[in-house]
Amino acid sequence: AQSVAQPEDQVNVAEGNPLTVKCTYSVSGNPYLFWYVQYPNRGLQFLLKYITGDNLVKGSYGFEAEFNKSQTSFHLKKPSALVSDSALYFCAVRDVEGYQKVTFGTGTKLQVIP
Amino acid sequence: GAVVSQHPSRVICKSGTSVKIECRSLDFQATTMFWYRQFPKQSLMLMATSNEGSKATYEQGVEKDKFLINHASLTLSTLTVTSAHPEDSSFYICSASSSQPHSEQYFGPGTRLTVT
């Protein structure tokens, strides 16, 4: 079974400061990892993914995530937060060997304070 | 590229009626489509996975006779909520992925269903 944990329901950060949204995962094999963002009453938008290769993955809107196999983590980061980054962020995992079912975390609400 | 649309974006229906939600991949062929339900301030709950031309695979606890899924073409999947009840009111989101290896899911904008 695969699972994703986002330990923080909400993260508050001041505009211009760096932000981190945490995610840890569990899969039986090698993971595919994803980050999505959701704005109110909207579907999810893809930010970035890790399949293989460089542990630091760069994605949309200046976001990046670092894959850490030993800690089974895939934290989302951005060097300088914008007010427009305020949204709900979902981490997701899929087993490389399994079929395409993706498991989502419970989501972390990011609030960027002006 | 990789745009997924949903229609309608919002629908209100009366208890006991049925409502159909469409999910379309606009610029790629979606061999697999997924239907999710999202309650307020909660994560996405996968309801079912559908592959073009075959029966949908429902997650445990999801009533297949109540939530009818059809994936008749590589660009269209539909979810029909039959005999809707107020507790079916929710935000329904579809996603689609191609047959490409490592393909991520592309999400539709969601449909807000309210059953009165």
Side-chain angles (χ1 to χ4, degrees):
Chain A
Q2 56 193 37
S3 65
V4 177
Q6 292 181 245
E8 303 153 316
D9 289 338
Q10 181 161 334
V11 170
N12 297 321
V13 63
E15 185 178 22
N17 282 3
L19 69 87
T20 299
V21 182
K22 295 179 180 177
C23 170
T24 58
Y25 67 90
S26 173
V27 293
S28 56
N30 292 315
Y32 288 162
L33 292 155
F34 307 86
W35 275 102
Y36 289 88
V37 60
Q38 184 181 33
Y39 296 96
N41 295 310
R42 305 290 297 274
L44 276 67
Q45 295 179 30
F46 171 75
L47 279 179
L48 51 80
K49 65 181 177 182
Y50 171 82
I51 304 295
T52 186
D54 194 349
N55 289 344
L56 185 63
V57 179
K58 293 188 183 297
S60 306
Y61 313 119
F63 284 94
E64 58 188 27
E66 186 168 11
F67 171 65
N68 187 315
K69 188 173 183 178
S70 62
Q71 297 185 7
T72 61
S73 67
F74 190 58
H75 301 331
L76 181 70
K77 299 181 180 183
K78 186 173 182 181
S80 178
L82 300 173
V83 173
S84 57
D85 293 330
S86 299
L88 189 57
Y89 290 80
F90 289 98
C91 181
V93 68
R94 183 193 134 195
D95 191 323
V96 167
E97 301 300 326
Y99 89 116
Q100 291 195 47
K101 177 178 177 179
V102 172
T103 299
F104 287 84
T106 50
T108 298
K109 182 179 180 181
L110 173 66
Q111 190 72 42
V112 181
I113 303 163
Chain B
V3 177
V4 175
S5 70
Q6 271 184 252
H7 177 80
S9 58
R10 186 180 295 268
V11 59
I12 301 173
C13 70
K14 293 186 177 181
S15 289
T17 62
S18 296
V19 60
K20 180 184 287 188
I21 302 170
E22 292 185 349
C23 177
R24 294 182 184 272
S25 58
L26 299 185
D27 51 3
F28 69 102
Q29 293 187 327
T31 52
T32 306
M33 285 185 168
F34 305 84
W35 286 96
Y36 294 86
R37 185 171 177 177
Q38 186 180 30
F39 293 99
K41 300 182 180 180
Q42 293 191 25
S43 187
L44 283 72
M45 182 191 81
L46 179 65
M47 300 174 66
T49 303
S50 73
N51 291 294
E52 184 265 339
S54 62
K55 289 184 178 180
T57 302
Y58 289 81
E59 295 298 303
Q60 192 172 9
V62 178
E63 299 176 60
K64 59 181 66 176
D65 293 332
K66 180 170 184 60
F67 298 100
L68 301 179
I69 291 171
N70 183 278
H71 191 167
S73 78
L74 286 172
T75 58
L76 173 64
S77 176
T78 60
L79 167 67
T80 302
V81 183
T82 62
S83 187
H85 291 150
E87 56 263 33
D88 298 326
S89 299
S90 190
F91 194 53
Y92 292 88
I93 305 175
C94 75
S95 70
S97 64
S98 72
S99 62
Q100 294 296 318
H102 316 151
S103 174
E104 61 265 29
Q105 294 181 31
Y106 299 97
F107 284 81
T111 296
R112 173 72 62 191
L113 170 63
T114 302
V115 184
T116 60

